[in-house]
Amino acid sequence: LIQKKLQLEELNRTLRQRVKTEVAKNREKDIILIQQNRQAALGETLEHIVHQWKQPINTIGILVQYLEAYYTEGLLTNDIFRETVEKTMNLLEHMSQTANIFRDYYKPEKVKKIFKIKESVDEALSFIEPAFRYQRITVEIDADPDLAGHGYPREFAQVLLIILTNARDAFKERQTEKPCLAIKAFAKGRRAVVT
């Protein structure tokens, strides 16, 4: 009986030690998984930033080339100059907002708000318009100016910009003759729909 008791005590002691060891191993694995998830999220965030910044950077390049061409050909007017500077500053502001959105991406204090869908569509189009003009892509908009959405307006505009960029790339890749993009925004029941 004494020997069985000693064996049981030894078994309990080694069992405690094994449990401690396994718990420590599991904590290590959890820490590694958390770090891997953070790195993956950071990688995705950087990919999104690059995707968001690529178009504005290209558009700024096109605007500078237009400015140079107008200047070289003696066609540069104050209006063209001001318009180009304004568009460039808008693109830079958009890039700054993109950086802020991604900086705050994981913060839960985002507040949804009511916003005008057409304004977001116009904002997204304003960023890509020089590239559309360069590729001779026409845009037809059929949107109720009073149609409202509820959510995150800047993020909505960025999603639209991604879709517009993808459309532009598809037109180019497919070598579409007379490319035309039709954007419609309408109410369907209690929802706002954009196609």
Side-chain angles (χ1 to χ4, degrees):
L1 193 63
I2 293 175
Q3 187 176 3
K4 294 252 186 209
K5 185 180 175 187
L6 289 173
Q7 285 175 345
L8 187 59
E9 286 175 2
E10 178 63 21
L11 184 62
N12 281 340
R13 188 183 61 73
T14 59
L15 186 59
R16 274 190 220 115
Q17 185 58 41
R18 280 190 271 167
V19 168
K20 274 185 182 178
T21 303
E22 288 302 315
V23 166
K25 284 181 186 176
N26 284 339
R27 281 189 186 141
E28 260 182 65
K29 287 178 187 175
D30 288 346
I31 289 170
I32 290 170
L33 280 173
I34 289 168
Q35 288 173 339
Q36 287 174 341
N37 285 340
R38 283 182 182 161
Q39 288 174 341
L42 179 61
E44 282 181 38
T45 301
L46 290 174
E47 275 185 48
H48 288 300
I49 290 171
V50 167
H51 191 77
Q52 289 288 328
W53 280 12
K54 201 180 240 184
Q55 181 57 44
I57 289 171
N58 288 339
T59 304
I60 289 170
I62 290 169
L63 288 170
V64 169
Q65 289 172 350
Y66 280 147
L67 204 58
E68 180 183 38
Y70 285 127
Y71 177 77
T72 302
E73 294 170 16
L75 301 173
L76 183 61
T77 64
N78 284 337
D79 288 341
I80 291 172
F81 180 75
R82 273 192 235 107
E83 179 184 329
T84 304
V85 168
E86 182 180 331
K87 285 181 179 180
T88 302
M89 294 308 294
N90 286 340
L91 288 164
L92 292 171
E93 174 62 24
H94 169 74
M95 292 172 73
S96 175
Q97 288 175 357
T98 300
N100 290 338
I101 285 171
F102 283 109
R103 183 192 65 212
D104 298 335
Y105 186 71
Y106 295 104
K107 292 184 181 178
E109 69 258 7
K110 291 180 180 180
V111 177
K112 289 183 178 183
K113 65 182 186 178
I114 304 293
F115 64 95
K116 303 282 182 175
I117 300 281
K118 182 153 184 338
E119 288 177 10
S120 291
V121 169
D122 291 341
E123 180 184 340
L125 277 170
S126 73
F127 295 124
I128 199 167
E129 186 265 333
F132 274 25
R133 193 172 358 132
Y134 180 75
Q135 283 184 231
R136 293 183 173 87
I137 299 171
T138 58
V139 179
E140 297 171 358
I141 302 174
D142 179 12
D144 176 357
D146 294 323
L147 182 65
H150 183 250
Y152 311 108
R154 275 188 277 148
E155 291 178 20
F156 181 74
Q158 288 180 357
V159 168
L160 291 174
L161 183 59
I162 290 169
I163 293 168
L164 294 170
T165 302
N166 291 342
R168 183 210 60 191
D169 293 345
F171 285 140
K172 184 176 182 179
E173 190 177 296
R174 295 174 185 166
Q175 299 176 352
T176 305
E177 288 185 38
K178 298 181 182 177
C180 180
L181 187 63
I183 300 171
K184 295 181 182 186
F186 54 92
K188 187 174 185 179
R190 296 186 65 203
R191 295 183 179 266
V193 177
V194 178
T195 61

